[in-house]
Amino acid sequence: ARLEPGDRILVHTGEAVPADARLVDSAAAFDQSLLTGESVPVTLRPGDWAPGGALLAGAPVHLEVMRAAADSTLTLISRLAERGAAQKPALARLADRIAAVFVPLILLMAALTGLIWAWLAPELAWPNAVAVLVVSCPCALSLATPTALAAAHATCLRRQLLLAGGEALETLPTITDVVFDKTGTLTEGRPTLERVDAAPGVDAGQALAIAAGLEQGAAHPFAHALREAAGQGAFEVDRRGHQPGAGVAGRVVLPDGEVLTCFLGSARWCGLGDGRVAREGLGAEAHVGHASEVWLVARAWAAEDAGEPSASAGETRVLARFSFTDPLRASASELVDGLKRDGMTVHLLSGDRAVVVEAVGRTLGLEQVRGEADPQAKQAYVRDLQAQGRRVLMVGDGINDMPVLASADVSVAFGRPTALAQSAADVIVMQPRLEAVRQLLEIGRGTRRIIRQNLGWAFGYNLMAIPLAAAGWVPPWLAAIGMAGSSLVVVFNAGRLLRAARVAEHESVGAAPRPSAA
């Protein structure tokens, strides 16, 4: 809010540009889908404008503010978010359309009732016509869906689930397949550096310093682990390039003055194929295990590297391999078993090495497992399921999950999701609790059940009460009680969702008192 034109700002990977600004130091990719609908990140060069609200999909960059935050495109983002929150789900719109027809129909029925009774018994014409008007309850019909959705939203908030819109609640009961990312979702998302295998003649500490420098400002869990292991010894790196879900590259100046173009990422992205030959060269084959790995390769700096460096553009040499361990979350097995009991097919889809992903899949008893999947492959995997008529819930947390989150029928940003992941998700889990995924599905099924009950009651009540009032068997005073009672039934029935959430909370804390969250 305090930004003014001319201010210099640093934007980290996955963060939103806070105000319209000009790129200063290097080229970077920005996701502008919230503004333009373009799903592919747009590469901007130094001097180009990055609109407020655009999300940085590359390495951290410096920008110069060109407009005050109050005048920037970010204001448009806020309006779009408010508009999205105000959108009614399809069921609510259907109920409104029915109510729009229902009201004039009731007016017509009341008029016909008055005319018929004026001919049969004039003294009963007005009482019976009024009774038809009063006993009919378009309120219950119009309230049936919104009250259930409001209770569901409140229930989600109590469970620390943030819904981006009502459509997700309607789709959740139809889900047939649940697809999980691995790192940071089924695992703790806090990998630790287990081992550094350096090439002959390469100092392991120096390789770690290069890797930590390449990952400065990055949000990926492996980046945190590398920086933590390197401490204050990270090298300065400039002219970074970044490919989500693959790796990072940059120019590194070594203490002896040698300038290298270094690449840190998956074996395939670093030009090492499946990494088997490189592991044999490091004498590390016996240590493959189930650890995740990241490779560091380098080549001499070339003039063409001022653009977008590529590991396949010249002869590279392996510097080191970094092995990470990331334990499964304690509730992962219980969640997977519960989803299977509910009749759903559970998939594990990750960009990590196939051997690691398969090992996790075996531990969890999963048959549908795929590793070494880049963002495009993840998106294609989910679309293939949808082409088979499946309804897919995707759970992920990283920048590389953004395309697949946007493609799934319902998407959940889990753990410590980046702003990019949150922008593509229908539901944001505000605390890293795996059981929240199953709770979300239960809330969706409960909401559908309550909506159906409410609509059934509203229609059944009107079909029964209106003919009785038209026949003269319901006096106006009783009609008034029936109309009010019908609306209250709908409201209290929707409230059962909240009551069920309170009971579950009470049981989960062992009947301990819970402080109020005002």
Side-chain angles (χ1 to χ4, degrees):
R2 295 194 301 269
L3 290 177
E4 296 179 355
D7 287 347
R8 186 110 168 212
I9 58 175
L10 172 66
V11 177
H12 292 283
T13 304
E15 290 183 347
V17 178
D20 291 352
R22 180 176 61 86
L23 201 56
V24 174
D25 46 11
S26 61
F30 290 85
D31 177 77
Q32 302 184 37
S33 58
L34 289 175
L35 303 171
T36 65
E38 175 60 50
S39 59
V40 179
V42 177
T43 300
L44 302 180
R45 304 292 177 184
D48 291 345
W49 276 46
L55 300 169
L56 178 60
V61 293
H62 288 92
L63 300 100
E64 180 184 352
V65 175
M66 305 303 292
R67 291 178 183 157
D71 302 324
S72 74
T73 314
L74 192 60
T75 305
L76 173 62
I77 296 295
S78 299
R79 295 196 191 104
L80 292 176
E82 291 169 2
R83 185 187 309 168
Q87 289 178 345
K88 288 186 176 181
L91 277 174
R93 294 194 297 270
L94 175 62
D96 287 345
R97 287 197 297 270
I98 293 173
V101 176
F102 183 81
V103 171
L105 183 61
I106 290 300
L107 292 173
L108 178 61
M109 291 185 65
L112 288 175
T113 299
L115 289 175
I116 292 172
W117 279 102
W119 178 64
L120 296 175
E123 70 279 4
L124 297 178
W126 278 110
N128 290 343
V130 169
V132 170
L133 282 174
V134 173
V135 80
S136 61
C137 196
C139 303
L141 192 59
S142 294
L143 288 171
T145 301
T147 52
L149 292 177
H153 276 264
T155 302
C156 285
L157 286 176
R158 292 184 70 92
R159 299 288 181 87
Q160 297 179 314
L161 301 166
L162 182 61
L163 295 176
E167 297 291 344
L169 285 172
E170 295 184 61
T171 309
L172 282 169
T174 66
I175 293 297
T176 59
D177 294 67
V178 181
V179 181
F180 287 98
D181 177 44
K182 180 181 73 69
T183 305
T185 305
L186 288 176
T187 65
E188 291 288 349
R190 292 191 297 271
T192 57
L193 182 61
E194 183 182 69
R195 176 165 168 165
V196 179
D197 294 302
V202 177
D203 179 70
Q206 189 175 74
L208 178 59
I210 294 173
L214 287 168
E215 293 287 15
Q216 284 299 320
H220 195 281
F222 289 166
H224 291 293
L226 286 169
R227 292 197 298 267
E228 183 177 345
Q232 301 297 319
F235 285 170
E236 288 294 327
V237 177
D238 63 1
R239 303 192 187 224
R240 287 189 185 91
H242 179 266
Q243 182 175 336
V248 62
R251 187 181 72 167
V252 180
V253 181
L254 300 182
D256 60 5
E258 183 181 6
V259 182
L260 298 175
T261 302
C262 293
F263 304 86
L264 180 71
S266 65
R268 199 170 301 280
W269 189 74
C270 289
L272 303 177
D274 61 5
R276 182 178 60 83
V277 175
R279 286 188 210 98
E280 292 173 353
L282 297 180
E285 183 64 31
H287 186 67
V288 173
H290 299 325
S292 301
E293 63 182 14
V294 172
W295 292 87
L296 178 66
V297 302
R299 71 162 184 267
W301 171 260
E304 61 268 20
D305 293 334
E308 293 292 333
S310 169
S312 60
E315 184 177 352
T316 60
R317 60 190 175 98
V318 175
L319 298 183
R321 184 190 75 157
F322 304 96
S323 300
F324 303 84
T325 55
D326 187 12
L328 282 171
R329 295 184 186 274
S331 56
S333 294
E334 182 181 352
L335 172 65
V336 170
D337 292 342
L339 292 173
K340 288 181 177 179
R341 285 195 300 271
D342 292 340
M344 298 182 188
T345 303
V346 183
H347 306 250
L348 179 57
L349 183 62
S350 175
D352 207 346
R353 287 188 305 135
V355 64
V356 177
V357 180
E358 289 167 3
V360 173
R362 285 193 298 271
T363 302
L364 296 175
L366 296 177
E367 298 179 359
Q368 309 297 327
V369 175
R370 179 173 175 182
E372 299 181 10
D374 60 19
Q376 291 72 30
K378 289 184 176 183
Q379 188 177 43
Y381 185 94
V382 167
R383 287 180 173 171
D384 286 344
L385 290 175
Q386 292 169 326
Q388 301 168 26
R390 315 292 289 179
R391 304 300 295 271
V392 180
L393 170 70
M394 176 68 202
V395 186
D397 72 326
I399 294 172
N400 58 325
D401 295 323
M402 184 187 67
V404 69
L405 287 172
S407 300
D409 296 288
V410 178
S411 53
V412 177
F414 183 84
R416 297 172 179 83
T418 63
L420 278 170
Q422 291 184 17
S423 71
D426 299 308
V427 183
I428 299 170
V429 180
M430 293 182 282
Q431 291 292 333
R433 299 179 304 107
L434 270 180
E435 58 268 24
V437 176
R438 197 169 180 211
Q439 289 172 353
L440 178 65
L441 290 164
E442 290 173 353
I443 292 171
R445 289 191 290 267
T447 303
R448 180 177 64 175
R449 185 170 59 251
I450 293 294
I451 289 175
R452 287 179 173 176
Q453 291 171 355
N454 282 353
L455 289 174
W457 165 259
F459 279 113
Y461 164 81
N462 282 290
L463 288 174
M464 178 184 67
I466 291 173
L468 292 175
W473 293 346
V474 179
W477 65 268
L478 185 57
I481 294 174
M483 182 273 294
S486 178
S487 297
L488 287 174
V489 167
V490 168
V491 173
F492 281 113
N493 190 47
R496 290 196 301 124
L497 283 171
L498 275 173
R499 290 193 292 275
R502 293 193 189 100
V503 169
E505 276 187 355
H506 189 68
E507 292 174 350
S508 68
V509 298
R514 180 182 178 89
S516 173

